[in-house]
Amino acid sequence: MTFSKSSLNYRHLGLLTLAAFGLFLLNLGQVALRDWDEGYYATVSQDMFQQGEWLFPLYQDQPFLLKPPLLFWLIQASYHLGGIHEWTSRFPSAFLSALAVPLLYLLGRELFSQSITALFSALVYLTLLPAVRLGRLAMFDGMINTFLVGALWCLLKGFQKPPWLLGVGLGLGLIALSKGVLALVFASLMLLFILWEKQGHILGRWELWLGLLLGFSPILLWYGLQIQTYGQEFIQVHFQAQTIDRLATAVEGNSGPPWFYLVEIAKYSAPWLFFALPGLYWALQKRRERWAKVVFIFGLGFGGIISSMSTKLPWYVLPVYPSFALATGYYLTQLWQSPKAYPKFLGALLSLATALVLVALVYFTWLDFQPWLIGLSLTLTLSLALASTLFLRSQRQAIPVLIGGLYLTLAVLMASPLWNWELNEAFAVKPVAALIAQFTPQKTTIYTSFAYSRPSLDFYSDRLVLAVSRERLRELAQSPHYFLLDDAALEELSLPSAQSLGRSGNFTLIKSASPPA
């Protein structure tokens, strides 16, 4: 097969798109929504859908001032088409997140002299666990990668064909409509890239400014409407709490050391990490080339920005992965073109990874029998074992075998109920929500003894379930209220006049009665 830069391979583009949709949409609605973001955003969208509201996000009939509305609009539209459930909640963000794969291929075609490098980069991104798993969730972060990659692609094409510069503003505007001032961060990085590329002349192009006007007009109009309606409260919550506070303080205890995101990448990007590090070395050697500048600015540069923030959350690092994939794709191309010179350390690292996964396979087979984990471990073990053998023998087929094996492994994971593993951190929410929905009136607040409030419980019950202290529970029990109590709290509060409405798991739903006069 011959690869060149002269023409776009539409077959590769089509196959990448189909493969991305297959992985990002597989089994999308078979596991519950998780806390926090999924539960929050689905509840906001549900409330807006039920009330026919489009301009003012709501959470249990109260203004939701934290985020811009794009995702809520998309989920609400999905609810109109398919009803309210997990699949329609996740579909808009998963669909848009999947488009980052073909767009990264198009971006690579602009950056690299050989189309195979673009293909490898897109395939690496497609088989990165964080990009796929987090992109499937009802969250902003996966689709922001799509908007960013699309804006960069339009910028590169706009260097030669100015009408493409319209897409830069539209892409940044969609980021702003998703996560507000994050668009300014990416705009600043793009400006740095433009100046480093000595393409400053495009800053005077009317196409660029028209695109920015069109892209940012919706969010500016929406901001104006929110400020007009909520005034200082919106400014305080949306800009102060959501942006400035996250820079200076660890919001809700989500802190970490400066190397937090390096650890996140190391944990979840293997085995591609073994290839990304040599790719970064090549980027340093080729630092005057355009692709290397993209890697440094949008990979290392953005990574440095989020690492300096006090608030640290695992999904903040997602915009680093397109650059990660570009660097990895470049190194894979070097290996592909010189298969007889495969470094032995790659085969050794893959062999070590095979041994570790094999240990997990033995554990889940004989010591803690879990069929899905057995299937997942077996798939990954066979894939890594075959790829490591081919790398040690310097066989060119090692690269497609590794890519195919990782894709198959991710497909097994996404087909299982394990892919949203944070659900195991607390009680199963849907049975408890069904109990609440069955025995309490709508628009009722339920008070719970659980350690924290769960937005997913609010979504499934369509009620506000607030976690409060034991002292507050005692106070509230002096008048008629609904309570969701665990066994210890139920015994401790001892409400003999309360009515037990039902039980699910370790929780009992009760209604307190007014004390006798």
Side-chain angles (χ1 to χ4, degrees):
M1 184 180 294
T2 302
F3 295 90
S4 67
K5 187 176 173 63
S6 57
S7 61
L8 179 64
N9 192 319
Y10 290 99
R11 185 177 67 173
H12 289 165
L13 186 63
L15 290 175
L16 284 169
T17 304
L18 291 175
F21 284 147
L23 200 54
F24 277 75
L25 301 181
L26 176 64
N27 196 33
L28 198 60
Q30 297 305 308
V31 296
L33 301 179
R34 75 179 199 185
D35 302 309
W36 295 87
D37 293 47
E38 276 203 304
Y40 270 134
Y41 303 153
T43 302
V44 171
S45 305
Q46 177 178 243
D47 280 19
M48 295 174 71
F49 170 78
Q50 291 172 342
Q51 299 196 27
E53 177 60 63
W54 288 91
L55 294 177
F56 298 98
L58 302 169
Y59 191 95
Q60 296 294 333
D61 295 334
Q62 297 299 313
F64 184 80
L65 309 179
L66 299 181
K67 299 293 183 183
L70 179 59
L71 181 60
F72 310 143
W73 290 344
L74 295 173
I75 297 177
Q76 188 176 354
S78 183
Y79 288 166
H80 276 282
L81 295 174
I84 300 175
H85 46 78
E86 293 92 348
W87 195 90
T88 50
S89 298
R90 292 184 176 124
F91 173 74
S93 54
F95 180 88
L96 288 172
S97 298
L99 291 177
V101 175
L103 280 173
L104 191 64
Y105 173 73
L106 294 173
L107 176 63
R109 294 293 286 113
E110 297 297 320
L111 288 172
F112 299 113
S113 59
Q114 299 179 79
S115 66
I116 190 175
T117 314
L119 180 61
F120 281 150
S121 299
L123 289 170
V124 168
Y125 187 85
L126 175 62
T127 51
L128 274 169
L129 174 61
V132 177
R133 193 179 80 93
L134 296 176
R136 289 162 52 91
L137 299 173
M139 294 169 58
F140 295 96
D141 303 85
M143 64 188 200
I144 282 175
N145 274 11
T146 298
F147 302 148
L148 174 61
V149 173
L152 279 172
W153 176 53
C154 291
L155 177 63
L156 293 179
K157 292 187 74 67
F159 286 164
Q160 301 298 324
K161 299 176 181 179
W164 281 95
L165 295 174
L166 288 166
V168 177
L170 295 177
L172 290 174
L174 289 171
I175 295 174
L177 206 53
S178 303
K179 271 203 168 181
V181 297
L182 179 62
L184 300 181
V185 175
F186 289 129
S188 300
L189 294 176
M190 282 189 179
L191 177 59
L192 179 60
F193 175 70
I194 290 169
L195 296 178
W196 195 0
E197 275 290 284
K198 296 181 173 57
Q199 297 285 338
H201 64 276
I202 71 166
L203 298 177
R205 297 292 312 191
W206 65 267
E207 294 93 342
L208 177 63
W209 291 102
L210 178 59
L212 292 170
L213 176 63
L214 294 174
F216 280 87
S217 289
I219 187 61
L220 293 176
L221 290 172
W222 185 82
Y223 276 150
L225 190 60
Q226 306 306 303
I227 293 172
Q228 182 183 36
T229 303
Y230 301 116
Q232 186 64 33
E233 181 186 7
F234 178 80
I235 296 174
Q236 178 69 28
V237 173
H238 189 87
F239 294 107
Q240 177 72 34
Q242 282 294 294
T243 303
I244 299 175
D245 287 354
R246 288 173 185 256
L247 293 172
T249 61
V251 175
E252 298 177 352
N254 295 303
S255 62
W259 54 87
F260 176 85
Y261 293 112
L262 292 178
V263 175
E264 285 296 306
I265 293 173
K267 285 194 301 184
Y268 296 115
S269 67
W272 288 129
L273 181 66
F274 307 152
F275 302 82
L277 294 176
L280 288 176
Y281 170 80
W282 275 104
L284 182 62
Q285 298 300 309
K286 303 289 185 177
R287 55 188 175 275
R288 292 184 176 85
E289 295 187 9
R290 186 169 286 177
W291 72 271
K293 296 174 184 177
V294 169
V295 169
F296 283 124
I297 293 175
F298 295 95
L300 299 181
F302 182 77
I305 291 172
I306 58 175
S307 295
S308 66
M309 294 172 57
S310 295
T311 299
K312 292 182 172 63
L313 292 166
W315 46 90
Y316 283 6
V317 77
L318 267 184
V320 169
Y321 284 112
S323 296
F324 178 103
L326 291 171
T328 306
Y330 186 87
Y331 182 58
L332 288 176
T333 303
Q334 310 310 305
L335 297 176
W336 180 263
Q337 293 175 336
S338 304
K340 298 303 181 183
Y342 279 2
K344 297 300 181 184
F345 77 87
L346 290 174
L349 287 173
L350 289 173
S351 298
L352 176 61
T354 304
L356 294 175
V357 180
L358 184 60
V359 171
L361 174 61
V362 172
Y363 176 82
F364 292 125
T365 302
W366 280 283
L367 299 180
D368 184 18
F369 185 78
Q370 296 191 42
W372 275 112
L373 287 175
I374 292 173
L376 187 64
S377 301
L378 180 61
T379 304
L380 186 56
T381 299
L382 293 176
S383 301
L384 292 177
L386 181 56
S388 63
T389 301
L390 292 173
F391 268 105
L392 289 172
R393 295 179 178 177
S394 295
Q395 297 293 313
R396 172 178 277 187
Q397 294 84 353
I399 295 175
V401 165
L402 180 59
I403 292 171
L406 292 177
Y407 184 89
L408 182 59
T409 301
L410 285 178
V412 173
L413 175 61
M414 301 312 159
S416 78
L418 306 174
W419 68 270
N420 203 4
W421 55 71
E422 288 86 353
L423 295 175
N424 297 321
E425 295 175 354
F427 61 89
V429 70
K430 294 178 76 171
V432 178
L435 174 68
I436 293 172
Q438 181 179 356
F439 291 105
T440 65
Q442 288 188 329
K443 308 302 179 184
T444 300
T445 299
I446 294 90
Y447 300 94
T448 181
S449 59
F450 193 63
Y452 53 85
S453 299
R454 298 188 62 185
S456 61
L457 187 57
D458 295 350
F459 171 77
Y460 285 111
S461 66
D462 199 15
R463 314 287 194 275
L464 182 61
V465 185
L466 286 178
V468 295
S469 65
R470 291 286 200 275
E471 293 74 16
R472 181 59 177 156
L473 287 172
R474 290 192 184 93
E475 294 175 5
L476 291 167
Q478 301 306 309
S479 57
H481 288 97
Y482 291 92
F483 299 91
L484 181 69
L485 304 177
D486 60 64
D487 294 338
L490 185 64
E491 181 178 355
E492 180 181 337
L493 291 175
S494 183
L495 304 174
S497 59
Q499 177 186 2
S500 177
L501 302 177
R503 183 174 176 83
S504 178
N506 297 323
F507 291 95
T508 301
L509 180 67
I510 68 172
K511 181 181 180 181
S512 62
S514 298

